[in-house]
């Protein structure tokens, strides 16, 4: 499909130079740029929908376990194994 774009002169010059350097057309360069932007938008929407599960139950540490003591925590882990 053909369309008309109004681009900044310097941007167009830089894009043409990059297209020539990469041995591709200006059209292909613009298409790739649009695809990247659209894909990034889709990915950000997918990430925004994901929610981490939250534990809402009751509980806590077993009695006799000091949460400020590594030794106490490790001993409690050994008891479960």
């Amino acid at each position: 499909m053909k369309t008309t774009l109004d681009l900044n002169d310097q941007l167009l010059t830089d894009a043409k130079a990059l297209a020539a350097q990469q041995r591709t057309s200006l059209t292909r360069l613009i298409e790739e740029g649009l695809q990247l932007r659209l894909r990034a938008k889709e990915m950000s929407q997918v990430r925004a929908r994901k929610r981490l599960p939250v534990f809402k139950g009751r509980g806590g540490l077993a009695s006799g376990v000091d949460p400020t003591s590594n030794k106490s925590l490790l001993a409690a882990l050994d008891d479960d194994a």
Side-chain angles (χ1 to χ4, degrees):
M1 172 185 288
K2 291 190 177 205
T3 190
T4 302
L5 298 173
D6 184 21
L7 300 174
N8 173 288
D9 291 339
Q10 187 59 51
L11 178 63
L12 181 59
T13 301
D14 293 345
K16 284 181 178 181
L18 181 60
Q21 179 186 357
Q22 294 182 352
R23 294 189 173 117
T24 189
S25 67
L26 180 61
T27 299
R28 184 67 191 139
L29 187 72
I30 292 171
E31 286 175 348
E32 288 175 0
L34 286 172
Q35 287 171 351
L36 286 172
R37 289 295 300 258
L38 292 171
R39 198 173 310 133
K41 181 180 177 186
E42 289 172 6
M43 292 304 294
S44 67
Q45 289 173 346
V46 168
R47 282 188 211 126
R49 288 186 219 139
K50 292 183 182 176
R51 302 187 119 217
L52 294 175
V54 177
F55 178 72
K56 296 180 181 178
R58 295 186 177 176
L61 292 174
S63 60
V65 178
D66 179 8
T68 61
S69 166
N70 287 342
K71 189 174 185 178
S72 177
L73 293 169
L74 288 171
L77 285 174
D78 288 339
D79 291 342
D80 289 341

